[in-house]
Amino acid sequence: MGKFADEVVHRLKDHLEQFCSSYAWETEYPIAQTPIDIAGNDGDRYVLIELEWRRADPADNAAKIFRHLSTREIPADQVRILQLFTNHYNLSSGGVSSKRKNAEFVGETAAELLEHLTYHPIDFEIDPPKSGEDRPPQWKDTTDSTAEKLASIIDKP
């Protein structure tokens, strides 16, 4: 994803370590050779967080994760997937792109089929810069408030 996206992922993880301290958090967590951006485990539950920064096909990313989860490669009673979508997936005319809609459809369908899985698409109100562009001025505040939103979802029973 790039250096800036990596910084955002690490900032999210650092905040989750504070807000959801019962979980052990790590980045680039491998599931069958597919790295998950952020993963947390509290012994019985896993939280897997994918940041969709500018990915051409976020549905493919989601499908790979759910395919691996369907084989129960993670020995947990509950797996919660949070898929964060940057403003890259928003349409200027309003609404979201078909790429995001497809990814959400894959996630929601997987959650319906796999009883141990819940899926949450999350708006991440950041405009990821293209190569050579400056970072958005409020990226730290936006990342921090998104981490709080994630923590509130993670703490729900």
Side-chain angles (χ1 to χ4, degrees):
M1 284 190 295
K3 182 181 176 187
F4 178 44
D6 288 342
E7 286 182 43
V8 168
V9 165
H10 285 282
R11 189 174 183 92
L12 287 168
K13 180 188 99 37
D14 291 347
H15 278 23
L16 290 171
E17 286 175 334
Q18 294 173 359
F19 297 140
C20 303
S21 60
S22 64
Y23 288 82
W25 294 98
E26 60 185 281
T27 59
E28 297 297 312
Y29 180 81
I31 297 177
Q33 300 176 4
T34 298
I36 306 300
D37 293 324
I38 304 170
N41 173 8
D42 75 352
D44 295 323
R45 299 171 295 186
Y46 273 82
V47 174
L48 305 176
I49 302 170
E50 270 299 299
L51 172 56
E52 304 300 350
W53 194 251
R54 292 186 159 278
R55 188 173 178 90
D57 188 4
D60 181 62
N61 202 25
K64 283 190 291 188
I65 294 167
F66 301 128
R67 180 171 44 90
H68 296 311
L69 290 176
S70 72
T71 62
R72 300 288 280 189
E73 291 185 39
I74 294 180
D77 295 333
Q78 181 184 8
V79 178
R80 185 166 287 179
I81 305 286
L82 295 95
Q83 192 170 19
L84 281 64
F85 295 94
T86 64
N87 289 342
H88 173 74
Y89 298 97
N90 294 348
L91 299 175
S92 58
S93 60
V96 298
S97 70
S98 61
K99 292 177 181 188
R100 177 174 172 169
K101 288 179 184 178
N102 291 344
E104 289 182 14
F105 175 78
V106 169
E108 290 162 1
T109 302
E112 288 174 16
L113 296 173
L114 304 171
E115 65 183 53
H116 66 290
L117 174 69
T118 57
Y119 172 77
H120 307 271
I122 310 290
D123 291 328
F124 187 28
E125 300 292 333
I126 196 167
D127 292 309
K130 294 179 181 172
S131 182
E133 292 182 346
D134 292 334
R135 296 173 181 196
Q138 300 297 321
W139 77 269
K140 289 181 181 179
D141 292 338
T142 302
T143 301
D144 296 350
S145 64
T146 300
E148 289 178 35
K149 184 189 309 185
L150 296 176
S152 70
I153 293 169
I154 292 165
D155 286 339
K156 288 181 182 176

